[in-house]
Amino acid sequence: SQQGEEDPQALSIQEGENATMNCSYKTSINNLQWYRQNSGRGLVHLILIRSNEREKHSGRLRVTLDTSKKSSSLLITASRAADTASYFCATKAGGGNKLTFGTGTQLKVEL
Amino acid sequence: GAVVSQHPSRVICKSGTSVKIECRSLDFQATTMFWYRQFPKQSLMLMATSNEGSKATYEQGVEKDKFLINHASLTLSTLTVTSAHPEDSSFYICSARSVGEGYTFGSGTRLTVV
């Protein structure tokens, strides 16, 4: 399977704390994307990092990419209860259109 | 921003019947659409990729006669689950993309076969 692995599978934190999720993948990539999915809903694109970038920020999100280790991390700072969702990394390789999704991290932010 | 509308959001059908799920790009032309299947608390598994006006490309292990995909226009793709069985119960999500643009996902369809 080409699917990437994410850890942790589940993460429970208190509001205001930071949440870090990690993603590992198997093949060379063009870019890596992070998506959010609320329960029973579709996916919302959060951030894209290209293979020649090492770090990217968007609001409370910080993404890093280490192509030598084939890994990425997503940091959500000052988490809120509304951040409760599943988070998936997805990679795009070669000239194709396909996205390959990681196994996902279920984040729960408690008040 | 780009919006993809997916209908229905929920459907319950009897075993042996067929169900059609629609995926529409509302404000852009989608040259490529993707159909995913997702089991509870699991990741998205790509079922097939469809380009407008051509036959869909199915992933290994996906029965093309069971999951019929039609991408008749640049704004509409449909997935028909034929002769549905309880094991077909799942969450189905479509995604659409135009050339050089990102991926926009529909809100998903919860299919329950009884």
Side-chain angles (χ1 to χ4, degrees), chain A residues 33-83:
Chain A
Q33 305 175 42
W34 284 90
Y35 288 85
R36 167 196 167 122
Q37 182 182 34
N38 284 63
S39 181
R41 304 290 295 173
L43 272 69
V44 174
H45 181 261
L46 295 177
I47 195 166
L48 179 152
I49 185 165
R50 302 188 192 284
S51 59
N52 61 353
E53 297 177 308
R54 293 294 169 260
E55 188 171 313
K56 203 161 183 181
H57 297 254
S58 177
R60 293 185 295 114
L61 306 180
R62 173 180 169 245
V63 168
T64 63
L65 179 63
D66 186 336
T67 52
S68 66
K69 295 181 179 178
K70 291 187 169 59
S71 68
S72 174
S73 68
L74 170 68
L75 168 68
I76 303 174
T77 60
S79 63
R80 306 166 182 167
D83 294 328

mmCIF file of all heavy atoms in Angstrom, chain A residues 33-83:
data_model
loop_
_atom_site.group_PDB
_atom_site.id
_atom_site.type_symbol
_atom_site.label_atom_id
_atom_site.label_comp_id
_atom_site.label_asym_id
_atom_site.label_seq_id
_atom_site.Cartn_x
_atom_site.Cartn_y
_atom_site.Cartn_z
ATOM 1 N N GLN A 33 -0.063 17.841 1.399
ATOM 2 C CA GLN A 33 -1.158 18.695 1.825
ATOM 3 C C GLN A 33 -1.757 18.153 3.113
ATOM 4 O O GLN A 33 -1.706 16.945 3.371
ATOM 5 C CB GLN A 33 -2.235 18.718 0.730
ATOM 6 C CG GLN A 33 -1.691 19.146 -0.632
ATOM 7 C CD GLN A 33 -2.715 19.043 -1.728
ATOM 8 O OE1 GLN A 33 -3.873 19.402 -1.549
ATOM 9 N NE2 GLN A 33 -2.292 18.561 -2.897
ATOM 10 N N TRP A 34 -2.313 19.047 3.882
ATOM 11 C CA TRP A 34 -3.031 18.656 5.084
ATOM 12 C C TRP A 34 -4.502 19.051 4.916
ATOM 13 O O TRP A 34 -4.812 20.155 4.443
ATOM 14 C CB TRP A 34 -2.438 19.325 6.318
ATOM 15 C CG TRP A 34 -1.143 18.702 6.757
ATOM 16 C CD1 TRP A 34 0.115 19.039 6.362
ATOM 17 C CD2 TRP A 34 -0.995 17.621 7.688
ATOM 18 N NE1 TRP A 34 1.037 18.242 6.985
ATOM 19 C CE2 TRP A 34 0.392 17.366 7.805
ATOM 20 C CE3 TRP A 34 -1.893 16.856 8.437
ATOM 21 C CZ2 TRP A 34 0.897 16.361 8.640
ATOM 22 C CZ3 TRP A 34 -1.379 15.863 9.264
ATOM 23 C CH2 TRP A 34 -0.001 15.623 9.363
ATOM 24 N N TYR A 35 -5.359 18.123 5.338
ATOM 25 C CA TYR A 35 -6.795 18.335 5.262
ATOM 26 C C TYR A 35 -7.417 18.083 6.624
ATOM 27 O O TYR A 35 -6.900 17.319 7.443
ATOM 28 C CB TYR A 35 -7.442 17.368 4.252
ATOM 29 C CG TYR A 35 -7.144 17.686 2.812
ATOM 30 C CD1 TYR A 35 -5.976 17.228 2.206
ATOM 31 C CD2 TYR A 35 -8.025 18.445 2.054
ATOM 32 C CE1 TYR A 35 -5.705 17.514 0.881
ATOM 33 C CE2 TYR A 35 -7.762 18.736 0.714
ATOM 34 C CZ TYR A 35 -6.599 18.264 0.144
ATOM 35 O OH TYR A 35 -6.337 18.542 -1.175
ATOM 36 N N ARG A 36 -8.569 18.698 6.808
ATOM 37 C CA ARG A 36 -9.332 18.526 8.029
ATOM 38 C C ARG A 36 -10.688 17.942 7.645
ATOM 39 O O ARG A 36 -11.270 18.296 6.618
ATOM 40 C CB ARG A 36 -9.498 19.890 8.685
ATOM 41 C CG ARG A 36 -10.513 19.955 9.784
ATOM 42 C CD ARG A 36 -10.872 21.405 10.082
ATOM 43 N NE ARG A 36 -12.039 21.456 10.916
ATOM 44 C CZ ARG A 36 -12.062 22.037 12.106
ATOM 45 N NH1 ARG A 36 -10.983 22.646 12.579
ATOM 46 N NH2 ARG A 36 -13.163 22.046 12.807
ATOM 47 N N GLN A 37 -11.193 17.029 8.489
ATOM 48 C CA GLN A 37 -12.498 16.458 8.240
ATOM 49 C C GLN A 37 -13.297 16.436 9.538
ATOM 50 O O GLN A 37 -12.911 15.763 10.498
ATOM 51 C CB GLN A 37 -12.402 15.028 7.694
ATOM 52 C CG GLN A 37 -13.752 14.409 7.369
ATOM 53 C CD GLN A 37 -13.657 12.984 6.886
ATOM 54 O OE1 GLN A 37 -12.789 12.226 7.334
ATOM 55 N NE2 GLN A 37 -14.530 12.595 5.956
ATOM 56 N N ASN A 38 -14.374 17.176 9.562
ATOM 57 C CA ASN A 38 -15.289 17.073 10.686
ATOM 58 C C ASN A 38 -16.108 15.797 10.508
ATOM 59 O O ASN A 38 -16.317 15.328 9.392
ATOM 60 C CB ASN A 38 -16.205 18.293 10.752
ATOM 61 C CG ASN A 38 -15.484 19.503 11.291
ATOM 62 O OD1 ASN A 38 -14.533 19.980 10.672
ATOM 63 N ND2 ASN A 38 -15.885 19.985 12.436
ATOM 64 N N SER A 39 -16.570 15.250 11.602
ATOM 65 C CA SER A 39 -17.253 13.959 11.597
ATOM 66 C C SER A 39 -18.394 13.925 10.587
ATOM 67 O O SER A 39 -19.280 14.784 10.616
ATOM 68 C CB SER A 39 -17.790 13.659 12.999
ATOM 69 O OG SER A 39 -18.441 12.406 13.019
ATOM 70 N N GLY A 40 -18.338 12.947 9.682
ATOM 71 C CA GLY A 40 -19.418 12.774 8.723
ATOM 72 C C GLY A 40 -19.471 13.820 7.633
ATOM 73 O O GLY A 40 -20.502 13.970 6.967
ATOM 74 N N ARG A 41 -18.390 14.529 7.444
ATOM 75 C CA ARG A 41 -18.365 15.599 6.443
ATOM 76 C C ARG A 41 -17.236 15.373 5.444
ATOM 77 O O ARG A 41 -16.447 14.450 5.569
ATOM 78 C CB ARG A 41 -18.170 16.961 7.139
ATOM 79 C CG ARG A 41 -19.198 17.268 8.206
ATOM 80 C CD ARG A 41 -20.546 17.525 7.626
ATOM 81 N NE ARG A 41 -20.553 18.733 6.800
ATOM 82 C CZ ARG A 41 -21.587 19.114 6.058
ATOM 83 N NH1 ARG A 41 -22.678 18.384 6.004
ATOM 84 N NH2 ARG A 41 -21.515 20.232 5.350
ATOM 85 N N GLY A 42 -17.155 16.265 4.452
ATOM 86 C CA GLY A 42 -16.083 16.198 3.479
ATOM 87 C C GLY A 42 -14.803 16.781 4.039
ATOM 88 O O GLY A 42 -14.712 17.117 5.215
ATOM 89 N N LEU A 43 -13.816 16.878 3.171
ATOM 90 C CA LEU A 43 -12.503 17.370 3.605
ATOM 91 C C LEU A 43 -12.336 18.833 3.262
ATOM 92 O O LEU A 43 -12.768 19.299 2.208
ATOM 93 C CB LEU A 43 -11.397 16.572 2.924
ATOM 94 C CG LEU A 43 -10.971 15.301 3.647
ATOM 95 C CD1 LEU A 43 -12.055 14.264 3.586
ATOM 96 C CD2 LEU A 43 -9.682 14.760 3.045
ATOM 97 N N VAL A 44 -11.663 19.530 4.133
ATOM 98 C CA VAL A 44 -11.345 20.935 3.909
ATOM 99 C C VAL A 44 -9.840 21.069 3.820
ATOM 100 O O VAL A 44 -9.111 20.594 4.701
ATOM 101 C CB VAL A 44 -11.889 21.813 5.061
ATOM 102 C CG1 VAL A 44 -11.429 23.250 4.888
ATOM 103 C CG2 VAL A 44 -13.410 21.727 5.104
ATOM 104 N N HIS A 45 -9.370 21.714 2.767
ATOM 105 C CA HIS A 45 -7.931 21.899 2.573
ATOM 106 C C HIS A 45 -7.401 22.920 3.572
ATOM 107 O O HIS A 45 -7.975 24.003 3.739
ATOM 108 C CB HIS A 45 -7.667 22.385 1.145
ATOM 109 C CG HIS A 45 -6.237 22.586 0.838
ATOM 110 N ND1 HIS A 45 -5.629 23.819 0.873
ATOM 111 C CD2 HIS A 45 -5.264 21.702 0.506
ATOM 112 C CE1 HIS A 45 -4.361 23.690 0.553
ATOM 113 N NE2 HIS A 45 -4.114 22.417 0.330
ATOM 114 N N LEU A 46 -6.311 22.564 4.236
ATOM 115 C CA LEU A 46 -5.716 23.466 5.226
ATOM 116 C C LEU A 46 -4.481 24.169 4.683
ATOM 117 O O LEU A 46 -4.362 25.395 4.758
ATOM 118 C CB LEU A 46 -5.340 22.680 6.488
ATOM 119 C CG LEU A 46 -6.486 22.069 7.281
ATOM 120 C CD1 LEU A 46 -5.930 21.270 8.448
ATOM 121 C CD2 LEU A 46 -7.449 23.128 7.760
ATOM 122 N N ILE A 47 -3.545 23.383 4.173
ATOM 123 C CA ILE A 47 -2.270 23.971 3.788
ATOM 124 C C ILE A 47 -1.536 23.014 2.857
ATOM 125 O O ILE A 47 -1.697 21.793 2.959
ATOM 126 C CB ILE A 47 -1.438 24.293 5.054
ATOM 127 C CG1 ILE A 47 -0.278 25.222 4.747
ATOM 128 C CG2 ILE A 47 -1.006 23.030 5.758
ATOM 129 C CD1 ILE A 47 0.360 25.827 6.005
ATOM 130 N N LEU A 48 -0.765 23.565 1.950
ATOM 131 C CA LEU A 48 0.044 22.767 1.024
ATOM 132 C C LEU A 48 1.488 23.192 1.167
ATOM 133 O O LEU A 48 1.784 24.394 1.235
ATOM 134 C CB LEU A 48 -0.430 22.996 -0.416
ATOM 135 C CG LEU A 48 0.296 22.282 -1.566
ATOM 136 C CD1 LEU A 48 -0.657 22.058 -2.728
ATOM 137 C CD2 LEU A 48 1.521 23.063 -2.055
ATOM 138 N N ILE A 49 2.386 22.213 1.217
ATOM 139 C CA ILE A 49 3.812 22.516 1.257
ATOM 140 C C ILE A 49 4.466 21.765 0.105
ATOM 141 O O ILE A 49 4.208 20.578 -0.122
ATOM 142 C CB ILE A 49 4.417 22.156 2.636
ATOM 143 C CG1 ILE A 49 5.878 22.605 2.706
ATOM 144 C CG2 ILE A 49 4.277 20.669 2.960
ATOM 145 C CD1 ILE A 49 6.438 22.625 4.138
ATOM 146 N N ARG A 50 5.279 22.470 -0.643
ATOM 147 C CA ARG A 50 5.930 21.869 -1.805
ATOM 148 C C ARG A 50 7.194 21.132 -1.370
ATOM 149 O O ARG A 50 7.750 21.397 -0.309
ATOM 150 C CB ARG A 50 6.260 22.941 -2.838
ATOM 151 C CG ARG A 50 5.036 23.703 -3.303
ATOM 152 C CD ARG A 50 5.312 24.646 -4.463
ATOM 153 N NE ARG A 50 4.192 25.539 -4.672
ATOM 154 C CZ ARG A 50 3.056 25.190 -5.248
ATOM 155 N NH1 ARG A 50 2.892 23.964 -5.706
ATOM 156 N NH2 ARG A 50 2.092 26.070 -5.399
ATOM 157 N N SER A 51 7.663 20.266 -2.227
ATOM 158 C CA SER A 51 8.802 19.412 -1.864
ATOM 159 C C SER A 51 10.084 20.208 -1.640
ATOM 160 O O SER A 51 10.996 19.739 -0.961
ATOM 161 C CB SER A 51 9.037 18.349 -2.949
ATOM 162 O OG SER A 51 9.290 18.968 -4.186
ATOM 163 N N ASN A 52 10.151 21.431 -2.190
ATOM 164 C CA ASN A 52 11.360 22.240 -1.998
ATOM 165 C C ASN A 52 11.218 23.229 -0.828
ATOM 166 O O ASN A 52 12.074 24.078 -0.617
ATOM 167 C CB ASN A 52 11.718 23.002 -3.280
ATOM 168 C CG ASN A 52 10.633 23.957 -3.714
ATOM 169 O OD1 ASN A 52 9.544 23.977 -3.138
ATOM 170 N ND2 ASN A 52 10.916 24.752 -4.728
ATOM 171 N N GLU A 53 10.116 23.109 -0.079
ATOM 172 C CA GLU A 53 9.907 23.945 1.093
ATOM 173 C C GLU A 53 10.115 23.116 2.352
ATOM 174 O O GLU A 53 9.876 21.906 2.363
ATOM 175 C CB GLU A 53 8.483 24.535 1.077
ATOM 176 C CG GLU A 53 8.233 25.465 -0.110
ATOM 177 C CD GLU A 53 6.799 25.982 -0.154
ATOM 178 O OE1 GLU A 53 5.862 25.143 -0.099
ATOM 179 O OE2 GLU A 53 6.627 27.209 -0.260
ATOM 180 N N ARG A 54 10.529 23.766 3.399
ATOM 181 C CA ARG A 54 10.792 23.067 4.661
ATOM 182 C C ARG A 54 9.771 23.420 5.729
ATOM 183 O O ARG A 54 9.523 22.617 6.643
ATOM 184 C CB ARG A 54 12.196 23.390 5.158
ATOM 185 C CG ARG A 54 13.263 22.827 4.263
ATOM 186 C CD ARG A 54 13.254 21.296 4.291
ATOM 187 N NE ARG A 54 14.088 20.734 3.243
ATOM 188 C CZ ARG A 54 13.599 20.266 2.093
ATOM 189 N NH1 ARG A 54 12.296 20.290 1.846
ATOM 190 N NH2 ARG A 54 14.417 19.761 1.185
ATOM 191 N N GLU A 55 9.216 24.612 5.628
ATOM 192 C CA GLU A 55 8.273 25.045 6.649
ATOM 193 C C GLU A 55 7.305 26.040 6.041
ATOM 194 O O GLU A 55 7.662 26.820 5.155
ATOM 195 C CB GLU A 55 9.031 25.698 7.815
ATOM 196 C CG GLU A 55 8.177 26.026 9.017
ATOM 197 C CD GLU A 55 9.024 26.459 10.201
ATOM 198 O OE1 GLU A 55 10.012 25.780 10.503
ATOM 199 O OE2 GLU A 55 8.681 27.495 10.804
ATOM 200 N N LYS A 56 6.058 25.975 6.552
ATOM 201 C CA LYS A 56 5.058 26.909 6.063
ATOM 202 C C LYS A 56 4.086 27.219 7.183
ATOM 203 O O LYS A 56 3.780 26.361 8.021
ATOM 204 C CB LYS A 56 4.318 26.295 4.872
ATOM 205 C CG LYS A 56 3.670 27.316 3.967
ATOM 206 C CD LYS A 56 3.377 26.692 2.615
ATOM 207 C CE LYS A 56 2.797 27.724 1.687
ATOM 208 N NZ LYS A 56 2.470 27.142 0.364
ATOM 209 N N HIS A 57 3.610 28.462 7.196
ATOM 210 C CA HIS A 57 2.688 28.890 8.236
ATOM 211 C C HIS A 57 1.401 29.391 7.613
ATOM 212 O O HIS A 57 1.405 29.974 6.529
ATOM 213 C CB HIS A 57 3.302 30.032 9.055
ATOM 214 C CG HIS A 57 4.547 29.665 9.788
ATOM 215 N ND1 HIS A 57 4.572 29.472 11.148
ATOM 216 C CD2 HIS A 57 5.796 29.439 9.341
ATOM 217 C CE1 HIS A 57 5.809 29.163 11.518
ATOM 218 N NE2 HIS A 57 6.577 29.138 10.437
ATOM 219 N N SER A 58 0.310 29.177 8.335
ATOM 220 C CA SER A 58 -0.965 29.755 7.942
ATOM 221 C C SER A 58 -1.794 29.925 9.202
ATOM 222 O O SER A 58 -2.305 28.957 9.761
ATOM 223 C CB SER A 58 -1.696 28.846 6.946
ATOM 224 O OG SER A 58 -2.970 29.384 6.622
ATOM 225 N N GLY A 59 -1.877 31.158 9.672
ATOM 226 C CA GLY A 59 -2.618 31.407 10.908
ATOM 227 C C GLY A 59 -2.037 30.638 12.067
ATOM 228 O O GLY A 59 -0.844 30.741 12.366
ATOM 229 N N ARG A 60 -2.847 29.788 12.711
ATOM 230 C CA ARG A 60 -2.367 28.988 13.842
ATOM 231 C C ARG A 60 -1.737 27.677 13.405
ATOM 232 O O ARG A 60 -1.385 26.841 14.252
ATOM 233 C CB ARG A 60 -3.538 28.709 14.796
ATOM 234 C CG ARG A 60 -4.084 29.939 15.496
ATOM 235 C CD ARG A 60 -5.174 29.585 16.522
ATOM 236 N NE ARG A 60 -6.358 29.030 15.898
ATOM 237 C CZ ARG A 60 -6.766 27.775 16.074
ATOM 238 N NH1 ARG A 60 -6.099 26.936 16.838
ATOM 239 N NH2 ARG A 60 -7.872 27.354 15.484
ATOM 240 N N LEU A 61 -1.610 27.474 12.121
ATOM 241 C CA LEU A 61 -1.046 26.230 11.599
ATOM 242 C C LEU A 61 0.412 26.425 11.200
ATOM 243 O O LEU A 61 0.774 27.431 10.599
ATOM 244 C CB LEU A 61 -1.827 25.760 10.368
ATOM 245 C CG LEU A 61 -3.320 25.603 10.507
ATOM 246 C CD1 LEU A 61 -3.914 25.141 9.183
ATOM 247 C CD2 LEU A 61 -3.673 24.645 11.617
ATOM 248 N N ARG A 62 1.201 25.407 11.528
ATOM 249 C CA ARG A 62 2.595 25.392 11.082
ATOM 250 C C ARG A 62 2.883 23.986 10.571
ATOM 251 O O ARG A 62 2.658 23.000 11.267
ATOM 252 C CB ARG A 62 3.534 25.740 12.224
ATOM 253 C CG ARG A 62 5.011 25.579 11.874
ATOM 254 C CD ARG A 62 5.897 25.932 13.061
ATOM 255 N NE ARG A 62 7.284 25.541 12.820
ATOM 256 C CZ ARG A 62 7.927 24.612 13.510
ATOM 257 N NH1 ARG A 62 7.337 23.983 14.497
ATOM 258 N NH2 ARG A 62 9.181 24.313 13.236
ATOM 259 N N VAL A 63 3.372 23.919 9.353
ATOM 260 C CA VAL A 63 3.685 22.636 8.739
ATOM 261 C C VAL A 63 5.169 22.585 8.440
ATOM 262 O O VAL A 63 5.748 23.568 7.965
ATOM 263 C CB VAL A 63 2.882 22.438 7.433
ATOM 264 C CG1 VAL A 63 3.422 21.255 6.642
ATOM 265 C CG2 VAL A 63 1.412 22.227 7.737
ATOM 266 N N THR A 64 5.768 21.442 8.716
ATOM 267 C CA THR A 64 7.157 21.216 8.337
ATOM 268 C C THR A 64 7.217 20.009 7.410
ATOM 269 O O THR A 64 6.343 19.141 7.431
ATOM 270 C CB THR A 64 8.044 20.955 9.561
ATOM 271 O OG1 THR A 64 7.601 19.754 10.206
ATOM 272 C CG2 THR A 64 7.987 22.122 10.530
ATOM 273 N N LEU A 65 8.253 19.981 6.607
ATOM 274 C CA LEU A 65 8.453 18.875 5.675
ATOM 275 C C LEU A 65 9.914 18.501 5.657
ATOM 276 O O LEU A 65 10.780 19.372 5.480
ATOM 277 C CB LEU A 65 8.004 19.263 4.268
ATOM 278 C CG LEU A 65 8.178 18.208 3.165
ATOM 279 C CD1 LEU A 65 7.318 16.984 3.453
ATOM 280 C CD2 LEU A 65 7.857 18.790 1.795
ATOM 281 N N ASP A 66 10.201 17.229 5.843
ATOM 282 C CA ASP A 66 11.560 16.715 5.777
ATOM 283 C C ASP A 66 11.569 15.619 4.717
ATOM 284 O O ASP A 66 11.187 14.483 4.993
ATOM 285 C CB ASP A 66 11.999 16.170 7.144
ATOM 286 C CG ASP A 66 13.466 15.755 7.162
ATOM 287 O OD1 ASP A 66 14.026 15.452 6.077
ATOM 288 O OD2 ASP A 66 14.047 15.721 8.261
ATOM 289 N N THR A 67 11.981 15.968 3.512
ATOM 290 C CA THR A 67 11.932 14.992 2.424
ATOM 291 C C THR A 67 12.972 13.884 2.595
ATOM 292 O O THR A 67 12.785 12.787 2.084
ATOM 293 C CB THR A 67 12.129 15.679 1.066
ATOM 294 O OG1 THR A 67 13.314 16.479 1.115
ATOM 295 C CG2 THR A 67 10.947 16.574 0.726
ATOM 296 N N SER A 68 14.030 14.167 3.329
ATOM 297 C CA SER A 68 15.039 13.114 3.541
ATOM 298 C C SER A 68 14.488 12.015 4.426
ATOM 299 O O SER A 68 14.847 10.848 4.288
ATOM 300 C CB SER A 68 16.306 13.706 4.149
ATOM 301 O OG SER A 68 16.052 14.186 5.459
ATOM 302 N N LYS A 69 13.598 12.394 5.332
ATOM 303 C CA LYS A 69 12.976 11.409 6.221
ATOM 304 C C LYS A 69 11.582 11.020 5.745
ATOM 305 O O LYS A 69 10.915 10.196 6.372
ATOM 306 C CB LYS A 69 12.878 11.971 7.638
ATOM 307 C CG LYS A 69 14.218 12.208 8.299
ATOM 308 C CD LYS A 69 14.047 12.750 9.714
ATOM 309 C CE LYS A 69 15.412 12.963 10.369
ATOM 310 N NZ LYS A 69 15.281 13.536 11.735
ATOM 311 N N LYS A 70 11.139 11.631 4.654
ATOM 312 C CA LYS A 70 9.792 11.386 4.135
ATOM 313 C C LYS A 70 8.765 11.576 5.253
ATOM 314 O O LYS A 70 7.955 10.661 5.546
ATOM 315 C CB LYS A 70 9.673 10.000 3.503
ATOM 316 C CG LYS A 70 10.454 9.851 2.200
ATOM 317 C CD LYS A 70 10.161 8.513 1.530
ATOM 318 C CE LYS A 70 10.710 8.457 0.127
ATOM 319 N NZ LYS A 70 12.160 8.664 0.027
ATOM 320 N N SER A 71 8.824 12.738 5.864
ATOM 321 C CA SER A 71 7.892 12.992 6.953
ATOM 322 C C SER A 71 7.484 14.454 6.990
ATOM 323 O O SER A 71 8.209 15.335 6.490
ATOM 324 C CB SER A 71 8.514 12.584 8.290
ATOM 325 O OG SER A 71 9.592 13.438 8.607
ATOM 326 N N SER A 72 6.335 14.691 7.597
ATOM 327 C CA SER A 72 5.807 16.043 7.752
ATOM 328 C C SER A 72 5.119 16.121 9.099
ATOM 329 O O SER A 72 4.681 15.105 9.652
ATOM 330 C CB SER A 72 4.807 16.344 6.635
ATOM 331 O OG SER A 72 4.178 17.599 6.841
ATOM 332 N N SER A 73 5.049 17.335 9.631
ATOM 333 C CA SER A 73 4.289 17.518 10.860
ATOM 334 C C SER A 73 3.367 18.710 10.709
ATOM 335 O O SER A 73 3.666 19.665 9.986
ATOM 336 C CB SER A 73 5.226 17.720 12.050
ATOM 337 O OG SER A 73 5.897 18.958 11.926
ATOM 338 N N LEU A 74 2.246 18.624 11.401
ATOM 339 C CA LEU A 74 1.280 19.724 11.455
ATOM 340 C C LEU A 74 1.148 20.134 12.908
ATOM 341 O O LEU A 74 0.835 19.307 13.770
ATOM 342 C CB LEU A 74 -0.081 19.287 10.913
ATOM 343 C CG LEU A 74 -1.246 20.269 11.137
ATOM 344 C CD1 LEU A 74 -1.042 21.542 10.316
ATOM 345 C CD2 LEU A 74 -2.582 19.625 10.778
ATOM 346 N N LEU A 75 1.402 21.395 13.179
ATOM 347 C CA LEU A 75 1.263 21.942 14.516
ATOM 348 C C LEU A 75 0.101 22.921 14.524
ATOM 349 O O LEU A 75 0.058 23.830 13.696
ATOM 350 C CB LEU A 75 2.551 22.655 14.944
ATOM 351 C CG LEU A 75 2.468 23.521 16.206
ATOM 352 C CD1 LEU A 75 2.266 22.660 17.440
ATOM 353 C CD2 LEU A 75 3.734 24.372 16.350
ATOM 354 N N ILE A 76 -0.822 22.709 15.429
ATOM 355 C CA ILE A 76 -1.915 23.662 15.640
ATOM 356 C C ILE A 76 -1.647 24.328 16.986
ATOM 357 O O ILE A 76 -1.621 23.652 18.023
ATOM 358 C CB ILE A 76 -3.292 22.977 15.660
ATOM 359 C CG1 ILE A 76 -3.523 22.193 14.363
ATOM 360 C CG2 ILE A 76 -4.407 24.004 15.860
ATOM 361 C CD1 ILE A 76 -4.804 21.360 14.372
ATOM 362 N N THR A 77 -1.436 25.620 16.975
ATOM 363 C CA THR A 77 -1.143 26.314 18.218
ATOM 364 C C THR A 77 -2.428 26.844 18.850
ATOM 365 O O THR A 77 -3.427 27.092 18.168
ATOM 366 C CB THR A 77 -0.183 27.488 17.980
ATOM 367 O OG1 THR A 77 -0.798 28.404 17.065
ATOM 368 C CG2 THR A 77 1.139 27.000 17.406
ATOM 369 N N ALA A 78 -2.382 27.002 20.168
ATOM 370 C CA ALA A 78 -3.508 27.566 20.916
ATOM 371 C C ALA A 78 -4.826 26.947 20.470
ATOM 372 O O ALA A 78 -5.742 27.631 20.001
ATOM 373 C CB ALA A 78 -3.545 29.085 20.733
ATOM 374 N N SER A 79 -4.929 25.649 20.616
ATOM 375 C CA SER A 79 -6.072 24.917 20.078
ATOM 376 C C SER A 79 -7.385 25.371 20.711
ATOM 377 O O SER A 79 -7.432 25.867 21.844
ATOM 378 C CB SER A 79 -5.881 23.419 20.299
ATOM 379 O OG SER A 79 -5.848 23.135 21.675
ATOM 380 N N ARG A 80 -8.450 25.173 19.932
ATOM 381 C CA ARG A 80 -9.800 25.524 20.368
ATOM 382 C C ARG A 80 -10.688 24.304 20.245
ATOM 383 O O ARG A 80 -10.393 23.387 19.478
ATOM 384 C CB ARG A 80 -10.352 26.639 19.473
ATOM 385 C CG ARG A 80 -9.473 27.867 19.383
ATOM 386 C CD ARG A 80 -9.896 28.768 18.248
ATOM 387 N NE ARG A 80 -9.026 29.939 18.131
ATOM 388 C CZ ARG A 80 -9.015 30.743 17.077
ATOM 389 N NH1 ARG A 80 -9.830 30.520 16.049
ATOM 390 N NH2 ARG A 80 -8.201 31.787 17.048
ATOM 391 N N ALA A 81 -11.774 24.294 20.968
ATOM 392 C CA ALA A 81 -12.702 23.165 20.885
ATOM 393 C C ALA A 81 -13.152 22.937 19.441
ATOM 394 O O ALA A 81 -13.366 21.799 19.008
ATOM 395 C CB ALA A 81 -13.910 23.406 21.790
ATOM 396 N N ALA A 82 -13.264 24.015 18.675
ATOM 397 C CA ALA A 82 -13.708 23.911 17.282
ATOM 398 C C ALA A 82 -12.670 23.229 16.384
ATOM 399 O O ALA A 82 -12.984 22.886 15.231
ATOM 400 C CB ALA A 82 -14.027 25.310 16.738
ATOM 401 N N ASP A 83 -11.468 23.038 16.886
ATOM 402 C CA ASP A 83 -10.449 22.321 16.104
ATOM 403 C C ASP A 83 -10.655 20.814 16.158
ATOM 404 O O ASP A 83 -9.960 20.063 15.459
ATOM 405 C CB ASP A 83 -9.040 22.645 16.630
ATOM 406 C CG ASP A 83 -8.660 24.104 16.414
ATOM 407 O OD1 ASP A 83 -9.108 24.708 15.426
ATOM 408 O OD2 ASP A 83 -7.894 24.645 17.253
#
